[in-house]
Amino acid sequence: AQSVTQLDSQVPVFEEAPVELRCNYSSSVSVYLFWYVQYPNQGLQLLLKYLSGSTLVKGINGFEAEFNKSQTSFHLRKPSVHISDTAEYFCAVTTDSWGKLQFGAGTQVVVTP
Amino acid sequence: NAGVTQTPKFQVLKTGQSMTLQCAQDMNHEYMSWYRQDPGMGLRLIHYSVGAGITDQGEVPNGYNVSRSTTEDFPLRLLSAAPSQTSVYFCASSYTGGADTQYFGPGTRLTVL
């Protein structure tokens, strides 16, 4: 079975500053990794995903993530955040294409002017 | 396309009552799933379906029932509501399973008194 740990429950950040959200996973087999975002009072939407190939994955809204197999990590970064990036971010993992998705507990990002 | 729709948006139940949360998608997706979201716990899979007539349990299936008679609809039934089922419920769909992009509905906020 796989599991996901998001190391920060809340990350306060100033507008135009960079942000990094940390995600570690555990699995004995190859994984597919995802970051989803949930804006207030909405459902989740996909930011980016790693299935195979290049370990640096670019997503929507200027976000990117790097898959590090040796460190079993998939950290999410954005070089300059906007107020509109205030949301909850979820890391998720599955081990096969029809597999069940396992979510982390989420990281709340609060961007202030 | 309407995407994934859920009804109702809000519901208050008394302990012991039963109800059905509705979920529908118009994207011809085979895979549909139900999650519950609780603070600090991320999203946990309740039940999922890989096609009409095929369902299976997720991580937290107790107290919930599902069926899938059509590709479009995937209702979630609470058999006898308990306060522990107070949560926000999300339905999601995708072409294949967890490794495919999941499209989430807007959620149903359920309170059990």
Side-chain angles (χ1 to χ4, degrees):
Chain A
Q2 67 270 15
S3 66
V4 182
T5 302
Q6 291 185 243
L7 296 158
D8 306 291
S9 60
Q10 189 162 5
V11 174
V13 58
F14 289 111
E15 193 175 17
E16 297 183 9
V19 70
E20 178 179 81
L21 308 184
R22 298 178 293 167
C23 173
N24 285 94
Y25 67 93
S26 67
S27 174
S28 57
V29 298
S30 297
V31 295
Y32 304 116
L33 293 155
F34 306 81
W35 277 99
Y36 282 85
V37 60
Q38 183 181 31
Y39 298 107
N41 301 311
Q42 294 186 27
L44 280 70
Q45 64 184 80
L46 182 71
L47 268 181
L48 49 80
K49 60 183 174 182
Y50 171 79
L51 302 181
S52 65
S54 173
T55 57
L56 183 63
V57 181
K58 293 191 183 298
I60 61 171
N61 300 339
F63 284 94
E64 64 180 33
E66 185 151 21
F67 170 58
N68 188 320
K69 188 175 180 180
S70 63
Q71 307 222 347
T72 61
S73 67
F74 191 54
H75 300 333
L76 180 71
R77 302 183 183 94
K78 186 170 182 178
S80 175
V81 296
H82 303 292
I83 297 288
S84 59
D85 292 320
T86 293
E88 189 153 23
Y89 293 79
F90 293 94
C91 183
V93 62
T94 187
T95 56
D96 66 78
S97 59
W98 280 94
K100 294 174 272 191
L101 208 53
Q102 181 80 36
F103 283 88
T107 298
Q108 180 69 46
V109 172
V110 180
V111 182
T112 54
Chain B
N1 286 351
V4 179
T5 58
Q6 292 183 238
T7 56
K9 290 181 90 66
F10 302 94
Q11 183 71 47
V12 179
L13 292 179
K14 294 181 180 177
T15 297
Q17 288 184 313
S18 63
M19 80 159 295
T20 299
L21 307 185
Q22 301 291 345
C23 174
Q25 53 90 11
D26 61 359
M27 297 174 281
N28 203 31
H29 286 166
E30 290 293 333
Y31 189 92
M32 296 186 74
S33 52
W34 276 102
Y35 295 89
R36 59 177 289 172
Q37 182 180 26
D38 302 293
M41 303 189 75
L43 278 76
R44 293 180 292 168
L45 182 66
I46 304 171
H47 285 286
Y48 67 102
S49 168
V50 299
I54 307 168
T55 63
D56 203 352
Q57 296 181 352
E59 182 184 356
V60 288
N62 292 343
Y64 307 96
N65 206 352
V66 292
S67 60
R68 183 113 177 256
S69 55
T70 67
T71 298
E72 294 78 19
D73 301 296
F74 191 43
L76 178 73
R77 297 182 189 84
L78 279 69
L79 309 172
S80 177
S84 60
Q85 294 178 305
T86 293
S87 187
V88 181
Y89 292 84
F90 288 100
C91 178
S93 74
S94 63
Y95 285 110
T96 58
D100 192 12
T101 299
Q102 300 291 304
Y103 293 87
F104 284 81
T108 294
R109 185 173 294 274
L110 176 68
T111 301
V112 183
L113 303 175

